[in-house]
Each structure stands twice: as structure tokens, then as C-alpha cells.
Amino acid sequence: MFETRSLRSKLILQLIVTVCMIPFLIPIYAMVSRSFAGSGWGNYAAVLAVPGFARFFLNSAIVAGGSIVIIYLATMAAAFGFSKLRVKRKEVLFWMMMAALTLPEVVLIAPLYATAVRLDLLGTFWAVILPIAALQIPFTVLITRGYVDGIPDTLFEAARLDGAGTWRMFWSVLVPLAKPMAVALIVLVLINSWNAYLSPKVFLTDEDMGVVTLLPEFFRRQYNDDTPKILAAAVVTAIPTVVAYILLQKQFERGMAAGAIK
């Protein structure tokens, strides 16, 4: 890590960091301050009074939890295979997976909808969880492979000499050593899946299966929107991910830094 010793260097660094933060703080400040316009805390009371408010959070937790489990297992297995196993043409397979990063979700909505209908998944949480997982796995594999590359091969060779098979090395060597990366994956997937809007809007046809990102819809009108309440709903929706990031910040930054260095 870079270290600044002189007072002048610390002040300059603090000034640079502050200036860099301003573009990110302005929209957050505008959203929070505007959410109190008119009724003040009454806007938040209106959000909490939305019918089925707790159910919206539960549904989002189901989507986020399912996505985290699938992405974690698939990412760790793929990163282990690409990094430590002798797989024929694995680099070709790896870059084919990376090509999926160029496909935005909105382009895939039509084929995903057709697939969900054919598999009879429309109106189920799987119709949201599986596309979210599929779209995020290429990126998570990309950053996790760099982390796994940093684990010495000698550890796996020693485990193999002790009689461990491939799955034993995966569960007993890789998984314990990859805990910082696991935390980074959990935070990334939680943020992306919790904030998912398009997939739940399209695939969850039952009103009882709504997620938190759909809460602002209750305050949209035909001719005008109740903007303060919409922003209050956005603030409430963001709270779980902000809290999760604050609690796991150190582990998240450690995992991301290690995954970025090969």
C-alpha cells in the first residue's frame, strides 16, 4: 500500500480523494434530501405501509440468496479448473466465456423469456435467478481466476501426494484459502441481484412475487409521479446492500485486490 508520511502529502491525498468522491456523493445527497420533500418522514412511512412490504424484501432475499449460491459454486469450480487443472483447450473455453460479457441483459430478454416459457419457469423465482447467475458468472470467473492463480501449486501437489483427489483438493484446499474472494463474490452478487429490476419485472408475473426494486411502482401515477415517495422507496431499497458492504468492506477490498493481481 502507498504510505504518506509528511503532512503536506496527507493533505494533498485527502484533497484528491475528496474531489474524486464529489461526483458520487452529489446524486446520493440529492436522492436522500429530495426524499424528505413534502411530508418528510411521512414519505418513508408511506413506503413501509405498502401492502406486502415485508414480502418484497423476502422475495429479493430469495433471489439474491439463490443467485449467490449458484454463482459461488460455479465460479469457484470454473476458476479452479481454468487455473489449476489440465483441461484441453481451456484457454479457448475461457475466452468463449469472456465473450458473454459483451451481451447486455436487455438484448437477451426475448430469448430468455422464450426459454422460460418453454421450460415452464415463467412466474417462478428460477426464471430470475438463473439469468442473473448466467450473466454474472463470466465476470466473477474472470476476477476469481486471478485470485486462484496466486495460490501456490505446491499446496495442491502436496494434497495430491497425500492421496487427495480433485474434489478433495477443491473443498479442502481451494475453498478455505479463497474466503476473501468468496466475500467479494457475495457482495458483488448481492448488489447486482438485489438491484435487479428488468428480470423480475418481466418474469415474475404474480404480484405476490414482487421484489424491492418494484416498490417505486406503487407511487407512479398516470399523469404525475410522487417523486419524494419514489426516492424514499429507492433509499429503503438500497439500505441492505449499503449495510452489507460496510460490514464486509475490508474482506471485499482484500478479495478484489487479490483477484485483480495475477
Side-chain angles (χ1 to χ4, degrees), residues 223-244:
Y223 299 106
N224 62 336
D225 297 334
D226 194 339
T227 303
K229 290 184 176 61
I230 291 176
L231 294 177
V235 173
V236 172
T237 299
I239 289 176
T241 53
V242 172
V243 172

Side-chain angles (χ1 to χ4, degrees), residues 42-61:
N43 296 328
Y44 288 88
V47 174
L48 297 178
V50 169
F53 175 82
R55 187 175 63 249
F56 280 83
F57 272 78
L58 176 61
N59 293 341
S60 289

Side-chain angles (χ1 to χ4, degrees), residues 235-257:
V235 173
V236 172
T237 299
I239 289 176
T241 53
V242 172
V243 172
Y245 177 79
I246 292 175
L247 294 177
L248 301 173
Q249 180 181 3
K250 291 184 178 180
Q251 294 88 338
F252 172 78
E253 292 175 352
R254 178 183 173 190
M256 291 298 295

Side-chain angles (χ1 to χ4, degrees), residues 134-179:
L135 291 171
Q136 292 191 55
I137 284 175
F139 176 71
T140 55
V141 170
L142 175 64
I143 61 175
T144 305
R145 184 185 183 182
Y147 183 92
V148 178
D149 285 340
I151 300 177
D153 294 339
T154 53
L155 294 176
F156 297 96
E157 293 172 359
R160 189 177 294 279
L161 290 175
D162 288 339
T166 302
W167 285 107
R168 183 68 174 177
M169 288 189 294
F170 175 77
W171 288 110
S172 300
V173 179
L174 176 64
V175 172
L177 292 175
K179 286 183 179 180

Side-chain angles (χ1 to χ4, degrees), residues 168-225:
R168 183 68 174 177
M169 288 189 294
F170 175 77
W171 288 110
S172 300
V173 179
L174 176 64
V175 172
L177 292 175
K179 286 183 179 180
M181 197 68 239
V183 173
L185 291 178
I186 290 173
V187 174
L188 283 175
V189 177
L190 174 63
I191 292 174
N192 290 328
S193 57
W194 188 270
N195 294 329
Y197 174 80
L198 185 58
S199 294
K201 181 72 172 179
V202 173
F203 297 123
L204 299 180
T205 56
D206 192 343
E207 293 183 358
D208 292 335
M209 301 180 70
V211 294
V212 292
T213 50
L214 301 180
L215 283 174
E217 300 291 333
F218 285 88
F219 305 104
R220 297 187 184 277
R221 304 292 183 263
Q222 183 177 0
Y223 299 106
N224 62 336
D225 297 334

Side-chain angles (χ1 to χ4, degrees), residues 71 75 78 82 94-103 131-145:
I71 293 174
T75 298
F82 285 129
F94 177 77
W95 288 109
M96 288 177 63
M97 178 180 290
M98 292 304 103
L101 290 173
T102 62
L103 300 175
I132 288 176
L135 291 171
Q136 292 191 55
I137 284 175
F139 176 71
T140 55
V141 170
L142 175 64
I143 61 175
T144 305
R145 184 185 183 182

